[in-house]
Amino acid sequence: MNKGGAFFGVGYLLGLFVALVAFWLAMSGLMKPLLLSLGAVSVAITLFLAMRLDVVDKESAPYLRWPVFIGYWFWLMGEIIKANWRVIRACLRADLDINPALVKVKTRCKSDLAKTTFANSITLTPGTVTLSVEGDKLLVHALYEQDAEPGAFDDMDRRTAAAAEGAPA
Amino acid sequence: MNLLLAIATFGVLVSISLMLLRALLGPTLYDRVLAVNSFSTKTLLLLGMLGFVMGRPAFLDIALLYALINFVSTIAILKFFRYRSFQVSMARGPVASQGEER
Amino acid sequence: MEIWEAFLANFHAWRPWAGALLCVLGAVLVVIGTVGVVRFPDFYTRMHAASVTDTSGATSLLLGMGLMSPDLVTVFKLAAIWVFLFLTGPTATHAIANAAHVAGMQPVTGARARGDVGEREGD
């Protein structure tokens, strides 16, 4: 848990605590003593389980990167809408004109967080799915071969690396 | 407006039935798992829609739970069919060789 | 500018209608995705069609419900569902695809996927 030292470990635990309390209050919206005590018990159990799972660290809770990730999120939504349109047309055409292909994509992302973000972005965009990740190579299945030609993922790769690792865009 | 809502609910219901067809037909195990996963996503959307049709948005709590259970159950099914057991640790490493060839 | 102000003043009047229309659009997208899942020739291509449902269909349905919702707690719940869907959806899809890949299932590629020889019989 304490990858960033004991201080950061406590900080991330505190962040998780605040997030859980806010989530409970927003979900229930009732201020009765019984419900509040139930909420306190749930938050305590969740914190204990998270500590036991050893998942509270810099990687699972990148709070400091939120502004960058939100910018990336908006760009990704645009990509998703464009890709959606292509797959919807493929679904509705009278004749199937799909041209599936398997390609290997090399990524410049180094950290696990960046790789996960990149692979999940590819999967989230309809028309392309990540099959496996080995080292810095991703195996991608695409509905149309021209969607996955060399360089098609370059833009997304660059933006993911910039958002998750802080590399110059 | 109620008519529009009814149309939307009916559309989601139709697509649930079609997805059930794929789950029954699907030639491989993975088609079925995919169909069940997609089926659960649509069930969650249907629950939300029904909450609004009936004027009881409290149904959304159930939908939220469904979203979480859907994910966990998909992973659990896949884990079971890869290792034939729930007792295997999903640690990193070259575990692919343990997978049964299907 | 006046038109815009009138537009905003009537926000609560047109809000449910816009929400209902978005819900219908979302339902249409969900049906399209399902049609793709039923039509496409092999497992890997079906996955792409399923992700249309998970992204755009779910987004516009949830957005429509958000426009119709009576209070802010409901909007927050819808936002939570949306975030969960967008975090778990690709992970589950990748898990299924990776399981099929590890089990040695070969995708039908190229023009073969269009023909009637494309259907790969399962085990």
Side-chain angles (χ1 to χ4, degrees), chain B residues 6-95:
Chain B
I7 290 172
T9 313
F10 186 72
V12 177
L13 264 176
V14 165
S15 78
I16 282 183
S17 333
L18 283 175
M19 202 48 95
L20 201 57
L21 181 74
R22 177 42 79 196
L24 290 173
L25 285 180
T28 65
L29 167 75
Y30 304 103
D31 285 296
R32 291 176 215 269
V33 177
L34 178 75
V36 169
N37 184 25
S38 201
F39 181 92
S40 303
T41 309
K42 291 180 183 61
T43 309
L44 169 171
L45 293 172
L46 179 72
L47 267 173
M49 288 302 298
L50 279 181
F52 279 93
V53 168
M54 297 178 177
R56 293 168 69 182
F59 274 30
L60 284 177
D61 292 324
I62 308 171
L64 191 60
L65 264 180
Y66 223 94
L68 297 173
I69 290 175
N70 173 21
F71 177 63
V72 173
S73 63
T74 304
I75 301 292
I77 291 170
L78 288 172
K79 182 179 177 183
F80 181 77
F81 279 103
R82 186 186 283 193
Y83 301 115
R84 299 280 159 186
S85 160
F86 287 123
Q87 306 295 321
V88 185
S89 133
M90 289 175 92
R92 286 191 189 179
V95 285

Side-chain angles (χ1 to χ4, degrees), chain A residues 84-144:
Chain A
N84 255 312
W85 176 239
R86 234 170 292 149
V87 179
I88 287 169
R89 242 182 9 201
C91 288
L92 289 184
R93 280 179 75 100
D95 55 326
L96 280 179
D97 70 333
I98 56 175
N99 187 17
L102 261 187
V103 288
K104 280 220 153 156
V105 177
K106 202 171 176 307
T107 170
R108 72 184 76 190
C109 300
K110 295 283 186 300
S111 64
D112 284 350
L113 175 67
K115 272 184 210 165
T116 312
T117 314
F118 184 48
N120 257 6
S121 307
I122 290 181
T123 310
L124 196 52
T125 328
T128 47
V129 169
T130 315
L131 293 191
S132 70
V133 183
E134 290 152 13
D136 64 343
K137 291 214 175 55
L138 278 74
L139 191 63
V140 173
H141 184 269
L143 192 56
Y144 286 102

Side-chain angles (χ1 to χ4, degrees), chain B residues 1 15 22 31 42 61 102, chain C residues 16 30 34 38 46 77 123:
Chain B
M1 200 179 85
S15 78
R22 177 42 79 196
D31 285 296
K42 291 180 183 61
D61 292 324
R102 285 179 56 82
Chain C
V30 166
T34 315
V38 174
R46 277 173 206 145
K77 278 175 192 164
D123 36 352

Side-chain angles (χ1 to χ4, degrees), chain A residues 12-110:
Chain A
Y12 285 115
L13 214 55
L14 208 65
L16 181 63
F17 174 75
V18 171
L20 285 174
V21 169
F23 190 66
W24 175 279
L25 289 181
M27 281 290 133
S28 89
L30 299 170
M31 288 293 167
K32 291 178 187 152
L34 173 67
L35 288 176
L36 284 182
S37 55
L38 282 177
V41 171
S42 316
V43 168
I45 292 177
T46 314
L47 277 182
F48 171 69
L49 287 179
M51 275 171 68
R52 198 164 164 271
L53 273 173
D54 219 10
V55 292
V56 188
D57 56 17
K58 181 157 149 280
E59 210 173 75
S60 61
Y63 298 120
L64 300 178
R65 295 201 161 275
W66 272 17
V68 202
F69 266 125
I70 287 173
Y72 176 72
W73 188 260
F74 277 109
W75 176 79
L76 188 64
M77 290 306 290
E79 290 293 301
I80 287 172
I81 291 169
K82 272 189 271 175
N84 255 312
W85 176 239
R86 234 170 292 149
V87 179
I88 287 169
R89 242 182 9 201
C91 288
L92 289 184
R93 280 179 75 100
D95 55 326
L96 280 179
D97 70 333
I98 56 175
N99 187 17
L102 261 187
V103 288
K104 280 220 153 156
V105 177
K106 202 171 176 307
T107 170
R108 72 184 76 190
C109 300
K110 295 283 186 300

